[in-house]
Amino acid sequence: MIEQLLNTPCHIIDFLPQQVPENSPGQFFAVEAYFLRPPRYTELRRSFLELLLRVNCYADFHVSTPDQDTVLRNPSPDELSAWILPNQKDLCILLPDEHALFTLNRDDTYMTVYHASARLLELLGPLTSACGLFLRGPVQP
């Protein structure tokens, strides 16, 4: 199921409201590098964690990593925190009832959500904003 979802359009959850144009006169790569270092990276990961915890109030979660067979179903907030904050693993968060998938890679400043329904997008709009993040998309695979 995960492989199928990865081939559907995705939305991006990011610290920026829109993709930076290739010819931008700004210094995106320097800013991105800044956000990839502690303490800013820890703060960004905490924002992703808070968003996912809030979404988990509304939807069933199955959390796994691409390199392990272990799947945590509705992990406790402390368990999810232990997977996200140390930044040691790429994560897949499947919402089986929604047929949607979040991915969070260890070296990215964004998350993706694949195959988000209108209901899920309606929920994500205010939740991403409340966590200091932006929702944009859809993007074709």
Side-chain angles (χ1 to χ4, degrees):
M1 178 179 211
I2 289 177
E3 288 296 323
Q4 292 172 338
L5 291 172
L6 289 172
N7 291 316
T8 64
C10 70
H11 286 75
I12 305 295
I13 299 170
D14 200 351
F15 73 100
L16 293 170
Q18 55 186 271
Q19 185 172 357
V20 175
E22 191 174 310
N23 61 354
S24 173
Q27 52 178 345
F28 169 73
F29 293 108
V31 172
E32 181 184 48
Y34 172 78
F35 274 91
L36 286 170
R37 291 191 315 260
R40 292 301 305 199
Y41 195 60
T42 303
E43 294 167 8
L44 184 59
R45 299 289 286 192
R46 191 171 313 283
S47 295
F48 293 145
L49 170 63
E50 289 176 7
L51 173 65
L52 290 169
L53 288 173
R54 292 172 187 198
V55 171
N56 195 206
C57 292
Y58 299 92
D60 185 33
F61 268 19
H62 295 185
V63 182
S64 64
T65 65
D67 57 343
Q68 291 181 327
D69 291 334
T70 305
V71 175
L72 291 178
R73 182 167 184 229
N74 290 321
S76 72
D78 289 331
E79 287 175 310
L80 191 59
S81 176
W83 280 44
I84 291 176
L85 293 182
N87 183 36
Q88 297 174 349
K89 300 178 183 197
D90 296 336
L91 296 179
C92 294
I93 300 105
L94 179 67
L95 283 65
D97 296 338
E98 294 285 332
H99 303 288
L101 175 72
F102 285 86
T103 62
L104 178 59
N105 295 324
R106 69 186 119 203
D107 294 326
D108 287 339
T109 57
Y110 63 91
M111 275 194 319
T112 54
V113 58
Y114 291 88
H115 199 256
S117 66
R119 176 189 169 289
L120 182 57
L121 291 173
E122 184 177 325
L123 178 64
L124 286 175
L127 290 181
T128 54
S129 180
C131 294
L133 300 167
F134 299 94
L135 176 66
R136 56 178 214 255
V139 176
Q140 297 298 322

